[in-house]
């Protein structure tokens, strides 16, 4: 028996990057996984097919309540239960913090709709099913931008702070489900592949002298899943950046 055999996990935003890495590792450790994305259907379907019969792909934009409900329903229809929810889906765009006019109402609203409202709606819908598990877990991928005034935009930083606080509140209120967060610094993913200046800046500042990788986030998430007396934790994975900035 593999470590997560019999467990069912939804990983949002898992057609690439951090979400894909978490889905691959949980699948390799025996879990049944639900791959999700809002738009990268071909990549999501390919990953699910690659992972085999214990993986499915469900398209859903988590900022759409009907899509959230369908994501939960499709999971239960295929696997009959839910043990782990990894909230990884998110949205951002680079906006200099000093340029308040560039942070348009549309960008602000979209950032909150996906990162906060969407994550909240899905977690709320999943919670009754997670409570039926013998070790229900929520892992939310947040950011160091939620604990320090940094990040791709002011709106993004605000949303990640909201998710960190949501983690604490749900951990306190929804036991025995364990609710934790992984808060990485800048991560080298397809989303940030063109952010050369930002990656170079992190390399020059962080004590560990590099950006995070998806695997760094995987290890943090697995550590929280394995530590059955841990809840309400914000696991900062930033190479020491917040020690110096």
């Amino acid at each position: 028996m593999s470590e997560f055999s019999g467990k069912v996990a939804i990983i949002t935003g898992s057609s690439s990057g951090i979400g894909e890495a978490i889905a691959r590792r949980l699948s390799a450790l025996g879990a049944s996984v639900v791959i999700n994305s809002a738009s990268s259907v071909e990549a999501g379907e390919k990953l699910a097919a690659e992972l085999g019969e214990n993986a499915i792909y469900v398209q859903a934009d988590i900022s759409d309540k009907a899509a959230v409900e369908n994501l939960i329903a499709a999971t239960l229809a295929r696997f009959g239960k839910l043990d782990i929810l990894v909230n990884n889906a998110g949205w951002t765009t680079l906006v200099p913090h000093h340029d308040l006019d560039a942070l348009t109402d549309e960008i602000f609203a979209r950032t909150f709709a996906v990162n906060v409202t969407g994550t909240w709606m899905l977690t709320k819908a999943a919670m009754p099913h997670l409570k039926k598990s013998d070790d229900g877990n929520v892992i939310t991928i947040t950011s160091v931008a939620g604990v320090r005034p940094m990040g791709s935009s002011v709106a993004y930083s605000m949303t990640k702070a909201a998710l960190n606080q949501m983690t604490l509140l749900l951990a306190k209120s929804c036991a025995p489900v364990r609710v934790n967060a992984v808060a990485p610094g800048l991560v080298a993913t397809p989303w940030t592949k063109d952010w050369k200046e930002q990656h170079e800046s992190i390399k020059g500042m962080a004590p560990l002298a590099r950006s995070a990788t998806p695997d760094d986030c995987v290890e943090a998430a697995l550590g929280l899943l394995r530590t059955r007396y841990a809840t309400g934790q914000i696991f900062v994975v930033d190479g020491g950046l917040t020690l110096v900035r």
Side-chain angles (χ1 to χ4, degrees):
M1 293 288 288
S2 298
E3 182 178 3
F4 289 95
S5 291
K7 301 294 186 182
V8 176
I10 293 173
I11 306 99
T12 64
S14 50
S15 62
S16 66
I18 296 170
E20 178 187 354
I22 292 174
R24 286 185 180 278
R25 186 71 67 84
L26 285 175
S27 178
L29 291 171
S32 298
V33 297
V34 179
I35 308 302
N36 158 261
S37 66
S39 58
S40 303
V41 177
E42 184 177 350
E45 290 177 339
K46 180 180 178 182
L47 176 58
E50 183 179 335
L51 296 180
E53 63 180 12
N54 288 326
I56 61 170
Y57 170 77
V58 180
Q59 182 182 11
D61 179 344
I62 63 167
S63 67
D64 181 329
K65 188 173 183 179
V68 163
E69 292 171 349
N70 180 65
L71 176 56
I72 296 293
T75 300
L76 297 177
R78 175 65 177 84
F79 298 116
K81 58 180 290 194
L82 178 62
D83 301 284
I84 299 167
L85 171 62
V86 180
N87 288 313
N88 174 69
W91 188 88
T92 190
T93 189
L94 284 171
V95 180
H97 288 200
H98 69 273
D99 193 347
L100 301 189
D101 290 333
L103 185 59
T104 64
D105 292 346
E106 292 75 17
I107 292 173
F108 190 92
R110 178 62 176 163
T111 309
F112 270 82
V114 177
N115 296 2
V116 179
T117 305
T119 300
W120 165 253
M121 288 194 299
L122 180 56
T123 305
K124 182 179 179 181
M127 193 59 70
H129 308 288
L130 294 170
K131 286 186 174 181
K132 296 176 184 177
S133 173
D134 62 356
D135 186 28
N137 273 273
V138 177
I139 302 286
T140 299
I141 308 301
T142 66
S143 171
V144 294
V147 296
R148 297 292 295 274
M150 57 177 64
S152 49
S153 76
V154 169
Y156 176 80
S157 185
M158 291 168 68
T159 64
K160 294 302 182 175
L163 290 178
N164 286 341
Q165 185 70 359
M166 187 181 82
T167 296
L168 303 181
L169 290 163
L170 293 181
K172 179 181 177 182
S173 305
C174 294
V177 175
R178 297 192 293 112
V179 185
N180 293 291
V182 174
L186 183 62
V187 184
T189 68
W191 185 279
T192 67
K193 63 183 175 62
D194 295 326
W195 297 11
K196 295 180 181 179
E197 182 179 341
Q198 287 78 12
H199 286 294
E200 284 300 314
S201 177
I202 297 301
K203 183 177 179 180
M205 287 190 297
L208 297 188
R210 64 174 175 85
S211 297
T213 68
D215 280 344
D216 292 323
C217 301
V218 172
E219 292 300 327
L222 288 177
L224 290 168
L225 289 173
R226 288 165 170 155
T227 308
R228 295 187 66 152
Y229 202 54
T231 194
Q233 299 303 302
I234 312 298
F235 191 166
V236 175
V237 183
D238 70 344
L241 178 65
T242 50
L243 299 176
V244 298
R245 180 180 177 186

